[in-house]
Amino acid sequence: SRGLGDVYKRQLQLRAAAKRAAAFGSGLAVIVHVNAFSTDALRGVCVFTLDHDAMATTVGAETLRVYPMELAPQHRGVWRVPRDAVDWRVGARNVLLPYSSLGIAAVLVELFFATSPSDLTTARSPGMMRRMQLAVMQGLAVVVEERPLA
């Protein structure tokens, strides 16, 4: 487990990344991670947004719709995280909040569970990384089509 110093450093890194995104004029942040848990029973993709974040939820839902079925999520929808979450979703909330606090829609895509042997085998199979990347890009394409770049 991580100590409080590590958690604080991570929060500072997330805030710095969000500030850079805001300085660049970003309206949407897509944060991509590989998930891990204390058990190997959890598997598949997970997508998180803060509650009331319609743009991020749209990106997440489309990503899930086209995501490779071999890494299908155990939860079929986007996890909408309350800003005051104190349960198991607090980690996702902590990743999303720095962006949201600066007015940037944010979606967290956890590609697969590194602690799941079947997910690891599937993720390493030929062409799978590209398919995961294409699913995330398809999620972005929906928003770009709705809101063309200037």
Side-chain angles (χ1 to χ4, degrees):
S1 76
R2 296 187 296 181
L4 287 177
D6 291 336
V7 171
Y8 182 70
K9 278 192 244 179
R10 179 70 179 140
Q11 281 304 111
L12 289 177
Q13 292 168 341
L14 289 167
R15 286 189 196 120
K19 286 179 182 177
R20 284 192 306 274
F24 187 72
S26 297
L28 173 67
V30 178
I31 303 102
V32 179
H33 288 180
V34 171
N35 213 337
F37 199 66
S38 59
T39 175
D40 63 3
L42 297 177
R43 58 169 307 281
V45 63
C46 294
V47 177
F48 299 91
T49 65
L50 290 175
D51 56 357
H52 304 101
D53 192 336
M55 183 190 313
T57 300
T58 298
V59 171
E62 180 62 13
T63 299
L64 286 174
R65 188 184 73 75
V66 298
Y67 207 77
M69 289 309 300
E70 298 91 331
L71 292 168
Q74 290 178 314
H75 174 73
R76 294 300 303 161
V78 174
W79 289 102
R80 299 188 66 159
V81 180
R83 294 174 190 282
D84 60 352
V86 293
D87 58 10
W88 63 273
R89 299 168 295 178
V90 73
R93 183 206 65 188
N94 290 343
V95 170
L96 298 167
L97 269 178
Y99 295 93
S100 178
S101 69
L102 297 173
I104 301 170
V107 59
L108 170 61
V109 180
E110 301 275 8
L111 297 173
F112 60 90
F113 278 85
T115 48
S116 165
S118 65
D119 273 11
L120 272 177
T121 299
T122 302
R124 291 177 176 153
S125 66
M128 184 54 69
M129 187 58 65
R130 180 164 173 74
R131 290 175 58 204
M132 289 184 283
Q133 292 166 341
L134 288 172
V136 173
M137 291 187 325
Q138 178 64 33
L140 286 169
V142 169
V143 173
V144 172
E145 288 172 8
E146 290 176 1
R147 302 166 194 232
L149 301 173

